[in-house]
Amino acid sequence: MFNRRKFITNATLGTVAVGTGLIACQPSEKAPVQKKNPNSKEGFPIVIATWKPNTKATEAAWQTLENGGTALDAVEAGAKVPEADPNDTSVGYGGAPDRDGFVTLDACIMDKDGNAGSVTFLQGIKHPISVARLVMEKTPHVMLSGDGALQFALENGFQTEDLLTENAKKAWEKWLETNKYEPKANINQHDTIGILAIDKNGDIAGACTTSGMAYKLHGRIGDSPIIGAGMYVDNEVGGACATGVGELVMKTLGSFLIVELMRQGMTPQEACEEATARIAKRYGDTLPEGTQVGYLAINKKGEHGAFSLVKGFNYALYQMGGENLSLDADALKS
Ligand code: ASP
């Protein structure tokens, strides 16, 4: 006799198997490629950050780990380096202002337990990453924005300062002469730091901090403070972070996508390449020449991946048994 109860159970199980990718466990004719980044090896501690100048950040993060800090302490320490650097024109102090001359900052942080904190449109505070960490640790919320984020920072002992340096102001005044918003690949309009770390216990954390695209519209928020877009961590799987034109990263939820692809069996390199290809497939024809998005990822074993839309994306890597390196990422388009 037809057993309806049994049929429903089997049908449900089938759906679950497909939905969770379990079906991939069945023997397939073709072995998966499992492409690796040529510079990737297994092992932790590891710290990885977007853009070569951030070897200074990976150094600080590494020292934090050496001194017994957690992955969370390490990514915060690393992110604070470009935030305080007046010569980094895309992060914190010295960051390029928006179209109206205001330096507005976005940042987020995430820990091994899936806790997350974020600030957007924060002005006058040099270390938005530390405010984001406090949002995570001291409030029931994930994201504070604008005046509310500032008020929270001040209540917690942060002090305001003028973050618009003379150099950033001069560059903005020069830009005002043409007043053209044209993000270009790999130049200082986007040098956001996304940083990921695994500590000696094998726990993962991530952070991302930026002044956003130079000369953006007043009020614009990018991908960097959006959990799952600019950065995402899942301690069971790995972490990912992004730099480049934030609108594209937000529309594809790039960092979350990369972590989910790794969950389903991709290497960090394959996952970064797939997330980049997704952008190219969906928006490629409409993008101005040279539009950049770069992704970094690490998995639980400490393997890493890096990939970008166009050539020129690079990153900093410090891993157990090795030195502090700066490396070039492969790209979809040279
Ligand atoms: N992703 C950042 C944003 O869109 C820019 C960057 O990477 O520099 O705000």
PDB file of all heavy atoms in Angstrom, residues 51 90 106 188-193 208 210-213 216 220-225 242-247 249-250, ligand 1:
ATOM      1  N   TRP A  51      45.540  44.772   0.081  1.00  0.00           N
ATOM      2  CA  TRP A  51      46.508  45.783  -0.364  1.00  0.00           C
ATOM      3  C   TRP A  51      47.883  45.703   0.321  1.00  0.00           C
ATOM      4  O   TRP A  51      47.987  45.586   1.533  1.00  0.00           O
ATOM      5  CB  TRP A  51      45.942  47.201  -0.243  1.00  0.00           C
ATOM      6  CG  TRP A  51      44.639  47.366  -0.983  1.00  0.00           C
ATOM      7  CD1 TRP A  51      43.401  47.519  -0.416  1.00  0.00           C
ATOM      8  CD2 TRP A  51      44.428  47.350  -2.403  1.00  0.00           C
ATOM      9  NE1 TRP A  51      42.437  47.615  -1.396  1.00  0.00           N
ATOM     10  CE2 TRP A  51      43.039  47.511  -2.628  1.00  0.00           C
ATOM     11  CE3 TRP A  51      45.273  47.218  -3.503  1.00  0.00           C
ATOM     12  CZ2 TRP A  51      42.483  47.546  -3.910  1.00  0.00           C
ATOM     13  CZ3 TRP A  51      44.729  47.257  -4.780  1.00  0.00           C
ATOM     14  CH2 TRP A  51      43.351  47.424  -4.974  1.00  0.00           C
ATOM     15  N   SER A  90      42.425  56.153   2.008  1.00  0.00           N
ATOM     16  CA  SER A  90      41.114  55.482   1.909  1.00  0.00           C
ATOM     17  C   SER A  90      40.585  54.984   3.234  1.00  0.00           C
ATOM     18  O   SER A  90      39.537  54.340   3.277  1.00  0.00           O
ATOM     19  CB  SER A  90      41.213  54.278   0.973  1.00  0.00           C
ATOM     20  OG  SER A  90      41.572  54.701  -0.300  1.00  0.00           O
ATOM     21  N   ASP A 106      33.249  54.064   7.623  1.00  0.00           N
ATOM     22  CA  ASP A 106      32.462  52.832   7.746  1.00  0.00           C
ATOM     23  C   ASP A 106      33.387  51.714   8.236  1.00  0.00           C
ATOM     24  O   ASP A 106      34.518  51.597   7.738  1.00  0.00           O
ATOM     25  CB  ASP A 106      31.951  52.368   6.365  1.00  0.00           C
ATOM     26  CG  ASP A 106      30.980  53.337   5.712  1.00  0.00           C
ATOM     27  OD1 ASP A 106      30.377  54.162   6.418  1.00  0.00           O
ATOM     28  OD2 ASP A 106      30.822  53.241   4.471  1.00  0.00           O
ATOM     29  N   ASN A 188      44.268  55.244  -5.430  1.00  0.00           N
ATOM     30  CA  ASN A 188      43.919  55.460  -4.029  1.00  0.00           C
ATOM     31  C   ASN A 188      42.455  55.770  -3.749  1.00  0.00           C
ATOM     32  O   ASN A 188      42.105  56.061  -2.619  1.00  0.00           O
ATOM     33  CB  ASN A 188      44.793  56.566  -3.451  1.00  0.00           C
ATOM     34  CG  ASN A 188      46.149  56.012  -3.126  1.00  0.00           C
ATOM     35  OD1 ASN A 188      46.309  54.795  -3.068  1.00  0.00           O
ATOM     36  ND2 ASN A 188      47.131  56.865  -2.938  1.00  0.00           N
ATOM     37  N   GLN A 189      41.605  55.678  -4.760  1.00  0.00           N
ATOM     38  CA  GLN A 189      40.194  55.879  -4.449  1.00  0.00           C
ATOM     39  C   GLN A 189      39.635  54.710  -3.660  1.00  0.00           C
ATOM     40  O   GLN A 189      38.604  54.815  -3.054  1.00  0.00           O
ATOM     41  CB  GLN A 189      39.386  56.090  -5.717  1.00  0.00           C
ATOM     42  CG  GLN A 189      39.474  57.520  -6.175  1.00  0.00           C
ATOM     43  CD  GLN A 189      38.780  57.709  -7.487  1.00  0.00           C
ATOM     44  OE1 GLN A 189      38.913  56.893  -8.389  1.00  0.00           O
ATOM     45  NE2 GLN A 189      38.042  58.780  -7.609  1.00  0.00           N
ATOM     46  N   HIS A 190      40.283  53.550  -3.748  1.00  0.00           N
ATOM     47  CA  HIS A 190      39.841  52.468  -2.861  1.00  0.00           C
ATOM     48  C   HIS A 190      41.007  51.609  -2.412  1.00  0.00           C
ATOM     49  O   HIS A 190      41.545  50.816  -3.145  1.00  0.00           O
ATOM     50  CB  HIS A 190      38.726  51.630  -3.485  1.00  0.00           C
ATOM     51  CG  HIS A 190      38.937  51.226  -4.894  1.00  0.00           C
ATOM     52  ND1 HIS A 190      39.850  50.283  -5.264  1.00  0.00           N
ATOM     53  CD2 HIS A 190      38.335  51.644  -6.015  1.00  0.00           C
ATOM     54  CE1 HIS A 190      39.776  50.123  -6.565  1.00  0.00           C
ATOM     55  NE2 HIS A 190      38.882  50.935  -7.045  1.00  0.00           N
ATOM     56  N   ASP A 191      41.375  51.812  -1.179  1.00  0.00           N
ATOM     57  CA  ASP A 191      42.427  51.013  -0.554  1.00  0.00           C
ATOM     58  C   ASP A 191      41.950  50.499   0.789  1.00  0.00           C
ATOM     59  O   ASP A 191      42.754  50.230   1.684  1.00  0.00           O
ATOM     60  CB  ASP A 191      43.686  51.852  -0.330  1.00  0.00           C
ATOM     61  CG  ASP A 191      44.519  51.910  -1.589  1.00  0.00           C
ATOM     62  OD1 ASP A 191      44.157  51.242  -2.559  1.00  0.00           O
ATOM     63  OD2 ASP A 191      45.525  52.626  -1.588  1.00  0.00           O
ATOM     64  N   THR A 192      40.680  50.368   0.917  1.00  0.00           N
ATOM     65  CA  THR A 192      40.069  49.828   2.130  1.00  0.00           C
ATOM     66  C   THR A 192      40.848  48.647   2.679  1.00  0.00           C
ATOM     67  O   THR A 192      41.269  47.783   1.913  1.00  0.00           O
ATOM     68  CB  THR A 192      38.653  49.324   1.787  1.00  0.00           C
ATOM     69  OG1 THR A 192      37.890  50.430   1.378  1.00  0.00           O
ATOM     70  CG2 THR A 192      37.987  48.619   2.947  1.00  0.00           C
ATOM     71  N   ILE A 193      40.968  48.581   3.994  1.00  0.00           N
ATOM     72  CA  ILE A 193      41.545  47.354   4.557  1.00  0.00           C
ATOM     73  C   ILE A 193      40.441  46.399   5.002  1.00  0.00           C
ATOM     74  O   ILE A 193      39.571  46.744   5.797  1.00  0.00           O
ATOM     75  CB  ILE A 193      42.541  47.627   5.708  1.00  0.00           C
ATOM     76  CG1 ILE A 193      43.102  46.282   6.224  1.00  0.00           C
ATOM     77  CG2 ILE A 193      41.903  48.437   6.846  1.00  0.00           C
ATOM     78  CD1 ILE A 193      44.286  46.409   7.160  1.00  0.00           C
ATOM     79  N   CYS A 208      36.928  45.139   8.761  1.00  0.00           N
ATOM     80  CA  CYS A 208      36.995  45.910   7.526  1.00  0.00           C
ATOM     81  C   CYS A 208      36.777  47.374   7.888  1.00  0.00           C
ATOM     82  O   CYS A 208      35.864  47.672   8.672  1.00  0.00           O
ATOM     83  CB  CYS A 208      35.904  45.405   6.574  1.00  0.00           C
ATOM     84  SG  CYS A 208      36.035  46.027   4.900  1.00  0.00           S
ATOM     85  N   THR A 210      37.111  51.684   6.394  1.00  0.00           N
ATOM     86  CA  THR A 210      37.310  52.508   5.202  1.00  0.00           C
ATOM     87  C   THR A 210      36.737  53.914   5.371  1.00  0.00           C
ATOM     88  O   THR A 210      35.852  54.135   6.213  1.00  0.00           O
ATOM     89  CB  THR A 210      36.598  51.846   3.989  1.00  0.00           C
ATOM     90  OG1 THR A 210      36.973  52.516   2.788  1.00  0.00           O
ATOM     91  CG2 THR A 210      35.084  51.899   4.110  1.00  0.00           C
ATOM     92  N   SER A 211      37.264  54.836   4.546  1.00  0.00           N
ATOM     93  CA  SER A 211      36.571  56.116   4.397  1.00  0.00           C
ATOM     94  C   SER A 211      35.681  56.063   3.149  1.00  0.00           C
ATOM     95  O   SER A 211      35.069  57.048   2.768  1.00  0.00           O
ATOM     96  CB  SER A 211      37.579  57.263   4.303  1.00  0.00           C
ATOM     97  OG  SER A 211      38.557  56.979   3.327  1.00  0.00           O
ATOM     98  N   GLY A 212      35.656  54.903   2.511  1.00  0.00           N
ATOM     99  CA  GLY A 212      34.757  54.699   1.366  1.00  0.00           C
ATOM    100  C   GLY A 212      35.324  55.267   0.077  1.00  0.00           C
ATOM    101  O   GLY A 212      36.449  55.746   0.017  1.00  0.00           O
ATOM    102  N   MET A 213      34.531  55.200  -0.964  1.00  0.00           N
ATOM    103  CA  MET A 213      34.980  55.712  -2.259  1.00  0.00           C
ATOM    104  C   MET A 213      35.207  57.220  -2.132  1.00  0.00           C
ATOM    105  O   MET A 213      34.352  57.928  -1.602  1.00  0.00           O
ATOM    106  CB  MET A 213      33.927  55.458  -3.339  1.00  0.00           C
ATOM    107  CG  MET A 213      33.543  54.002  -3.511  1.00  0.00           C
ATOM    108  SD  MET A 213      34.887  52.920  -4.025  1.00  0.00           S
ATOM    109  CE  MET A 213      35.091  53.387  -5.723  1.00  0.00           C
ATOM    110  N   LYS A 216      32.497  60.371  -2.860  1.00  0.00           N
ATOM    111  CA  LYS A 216      31.150  59.771  -2.930  1.00  0.00           C
ATOM    112  C   LYS A 216      30.093  60.827  -2.572  1.00  0.00           C
ATOM    113  O   LYS A 216      30.418  61.858  -1.961  1.00  0.00           O
ATOM    114  CB  LYS A 216      31.084  58.616  -1.920  1.00  0.00           C
ATOM    115  CG  LYS A 216      31.350  59.076  -0.468  1.00  0.00           C
ATOM    116  CD  LYS A 216      31.656  57.925   0.487  1.00  0.00           C
ATOM    117  CE  LYS A 216      32.006  58.467   1.878  1.00  0.00           C
ATOM    118  NZ  LYS A 216      32.439  57.426   2.825  1.00  0.00           N
ATOM    119  N   ARG A 220      26.462  58.411   1.388  1.00  0.00           N
ATOM    120  CA  ARG A 220      26.656  57.090   0.781  1.00  0.00           C
ATOM    121  C   ARG A 220      27.369  56.137   1.755  1.00  0.00           C
ATOM    122  O   ARG A 220      28.349  56.475   2.393  1.00  0.00           O
ATOM    123  CB  ARG A 220      27.489  57.251  -0.494  1.00  0.00           C
ATOM    124  CG  ARG A 220      27.765  55.948  -1.251  1.00  0.00           C
ATOM    125  CD  ARG A 220      29.100  55.357  -0.898  1.00  0.00           C
ATOM    126  NE  ARG A 220      29.487  54.256  -1.779  1.00  0.00           N
ATOM    127  CZ  ARG A 220      30.542  53.474  -1.551  1.00  0.00           C
ATOM    128  NH1 ARG A 220      31.295  53.675  -0.503  1.00  0.00           N
ATOM    129  NH2 ARG A 220      30.839  52.503  -2.382  1.00  0.00           N
ATOM    130  N   ILE A 221      26.845  54.935   1.856  1.00  0.00           N
ATOM    131  CA  ILE A 221      27.481  53.874   2.635  1.00  0.00           C
ATOM    132  C   ILE A 221      27.901  52.784   1.652  1.00  0.00           C
ATOM    133  O   ILE A 221      27.126  52.435   0.761  1.00  0.00           O
ATOM    134  CB  ILE A 221      26.489  53.226   3.644  1.00  0.00           C
ATOM    135  CG1 ILE A 221      25.747  54.278   4.480  1.00  0.00           C
ATOM    136  CG2 ILE A 221      27.182  52.190   4.521  1.00  0.00           C
ATOM    137  CD1 ILE A 221      26.565  54.997   5.480  1.00  0.00           C
ATOM    138  N   GLY A 222      29.085  52.250   1.826  1.00  0.00           N
ATOM    139  CA  GLY A 222      29.552  51.192   0.923  1.00  0.00           C
ATOM    140  C   GLY A 222      29.356  49.812   1.510  1.00  0.00           C
ATOM    141  O   GLY A 222      28.566  49.613   2.434  1.00  0.00           O
ATOM    142  N   ASP A 223      30.092  48.872   0.966  1.00  0.00           N
ATOM    143  CA  ASP A 223      29.994  47.477   1.412  1.00  0.00           C
ATOM    144  C   ASP A 223      30.725  47.215   2.724  1.00  0.00           C
ATOM    145  O   ASP A 223      30.386  46.281   3.457  1.00  0.00           O
ATOM    146  CB  ASP A 223      30.609  46.549   0.350  1.00  0.00           C
ATOM    147  CG  ASP A 223      32.089  46.870   0.128  1.00  0.00           C
ATOM    148  OD1 ASP A 223      32.416  48.074  -0.024  1.00  0.00           O
ATOM    149  OD2 ASP A 223      32.911  45.942   0.119  1.00  0.00           O
ATOM    150  N   SER A 224      31.737  48.050   3.002  1.00  0.00           N
ATOM    151  CA  SER A 224      32.691  47.712   4.072  1.00  0.00           C
ATOM    152  C   SER A 224      32.065  47.498   5.451  1.00  0.00           C
ATOM    153  O   SER A 224      32.527  46.642   6.198  1.00  0.00           O
ATOM    154  CB  SER A 224      33.780  48.779   4.140  1.00  0.00           C
ATOM    155  OG  SER A 224      34.355  48.935   2.873  1.00  0.00           O
ATOM    156  N   PRO A 225      31.018  48.245   5.843  1.00  0.00           N
ATOM    157  CA  PRO A 225      30.450  48.004   7.173  1.00  0.00           C
ATOM    158  C   PRO A 225      29.301  47.003   7.142  1.00  0.00           C
ATOM    159  O   PRO A 225      28.666  46.760   8.175  1.00  0.00           O
ATOM    160  CB  PRO A 225      29.916  49.391   7.555  1.00  0.00           C
ATOM    161  CG  PRO A 225      29.446  49.959   6.252  1.00  0.00           C
ATOM    162  CD  PRO A 225      30.403  49.423   5.200  1.00  0.00           C
ATOM    163  N   ALA A 242      36.390  42.094   1.298  1.00  0.00           N
ATOM    164  CA  ALA A 242      36.334  42.688  -0.040  1.00  0.00           C
ATOM    165  C   ALA A 242      36.916  44.094  -0.058  1.00  0.00           C
ATOM    166  O   ALA A 242      36.946  44.779   0.961  1.00  0.00           O
ATOM    167  CB  ALA A 242      34.875  42.756  -0.494  1.00  0.00           C
ATOM    168  N   THR A 243      37.339  44.497  -1.233  1.00  0.00           N
ATOM    169  CA  THR A 243      37.691  45.888  -1.482  1.00  0.00           C
ATOM    170  C   THR A 243      37.271  46.225  -2.913  1.00  0.00           C
ATOM    171  O   THR A 243      37.027  45.332  -3.708  1.00  0.00           O
ATOM    172  CB  THR A 243      39.205  46.129  -1.273  1.00  0.00           C
ATOM    173  OG1 THR A 243      39.494  47.513  -1.481  1.00  0.00           O
ATOM    174  CG2 THR A 243      40.038  45.307  -2.234  1.00  0.00           C
ATOM    175  N   GLY A 244      37.171  47.499  -3.209  1.00  0.00           N
ATOM    176  CA  GLY A 244      36.769  47.896  -4.552  1.00  0.00           C
ATOM    177  C   GLY A 244      35.417  48.580  -4.540  1.00  0.00           C
ATOM    178  O   GLY A 244      34.985  49.087  -3.502  1.00  0.00           O
ATOM    179  N   VAL A 245      34.766  48.566  -5.672  1.00  0.00           N
ATOM    180  CA  VAL A 245      33.502  49.293  -5.807  1.00  0.00           C
ATOM    181  C   VAL A 245      32.421  48.590  -4.964  1.00  0.00           C
ATOM    182  O   VAL A 245      31.882  47.540  -5.347  1.00  0.00           O
ATOM    183  CB  VAL A 245      33.089  49.400  -7.289  1.00  0.00           C
ATOM    184  CG1 VAL A 245      31.748  50.115  -7.413  1.00  0.00           C
ATOM    185  CG2 VAL A 245      34.160  50.139  -8.074  1.00  0.00           C
ATOM    186  N   GLY A 246      32.123  49.203  -3.835  1.00  0.00           N
ATOM    187  CA  GLY A 246      31.274  48.555  -2.835  1.00  0.00           C
ATOM    188  C   GLY A 246      29.883  48.217  -3.326  1.00  0.00           C
ATOM    189  O   GLY A 246      29.281  47.232  -2.868  1.00  0.00           O
ATOM    190  N   GLU A 247      29.367  49.007  -4.253  1.00  0.00           N
ATOM    191  CA  GLU A 247      28.003  48.762  -4.747  1.00  0.00           C
ATOM    192  C   GLU A 247      27.909  47.354  -5.356  1.00  0.00           C
ATOM    193  O   GLU A 247      26.905  46.660  -5.190  1.00  0.00           O
ATOM    194  CB  GLU A 247      27.615  49.830  -5.783  1.00  0.00           C
ATOM    195  CG  GLU A 247      27.208  51.174  -5.186  1.00  0.00           C
ATOM    196  CD  GLU A 247      28.362  51.978  -4.559  1.00  0.00           C
ATOM    197  OE1 GLU A 247      29.535  51.602  -4.740  1.00  0.00           O
ATOM    198  OE2 GLU A 247      28.081  52.988  -3.880  1.00  0.00           O
ATOM    199  N   VAL A 249      29.808  44.759  -4.593  1.00  0.00           N
ATOM    200  CA  VAL A 249      29.970  43.772  -3.523  1.00  0.00           C
ATOM    201  C   VAL A 249      28.654  43.642  -2.742  1.00  0.00           C
ATOM    202  O   VAL A 249      28.223  42.547  -2.391  1.00  0.00           O
ATOM    203  CB  VAL A 249      31.125  44.180  -2.582  1.00  0.00           C
ATOM    204  CG1 VAL A 249      31.278  43.177  -1.447  1.00  0.00           C
ATOM    205  CG2 VAL A 249      32.430  44.305  -3.357  1.00  0.00           C
ATOM    206  N   MET A 250      27.992  44.785  -2.521  1.00  0.00           N
ATOM    207  CA  MET A 250      26.718  44.756  -1.784  1.00  0.00           C
ATOM    208  C   MET A 250      25.637  44.029  -2.575  1.00  0.00           C
ATOM    209  O   MET A 250      24.834  43.280  -2.019  1.00  0.00           O
ATOM    210  CB  MET A 250      26.237  46.188  -1.507  1.00  0.00           C
ATOM    211  CG  MET A 250      27.105  46.936  -0.533  1.00  0.00           C
ATOM    212  SD  MET A 250      26.859  48.708  -0.684  1.00  0.00           S
ATOM    213  CE  MET A 250      25.594  48.967   0.507  1.00  0.00           C
TER     214      MET A 250
HETATM  215  N1  ASP B   1      34.760  49.048  -0.806  1.00  0.00           N
HETATM  216  C1  ASP B   1      34.933  50.420  -0.408  1.00  0.00           C
HETATM  217  C2  ASP B   1      33.638  51.155  -0.616  1.00  0.00           C
HETATM  218  O1  ASP B   1      32.948  50.892  -1.572  1.00  0.00           O
HETATM  219  C3  ASP B   1      35.981  51.123  -1.155  1.00  0.00           C
HETATM  220  C4  ASP B   1      37.324  50.481  -1.113  1.00  0.00           C
HETATM  221  O2  ASP B   1      37.476  49.283  -1.180  1.00  0.00           O
HETATM  222  O3  ASP B   1      38.279  51.250  -0.998  1.00  0.00           O
HETATM  223  O4  ASP B   1      33.360  52.045   0.151  1.00  0.00           O
END
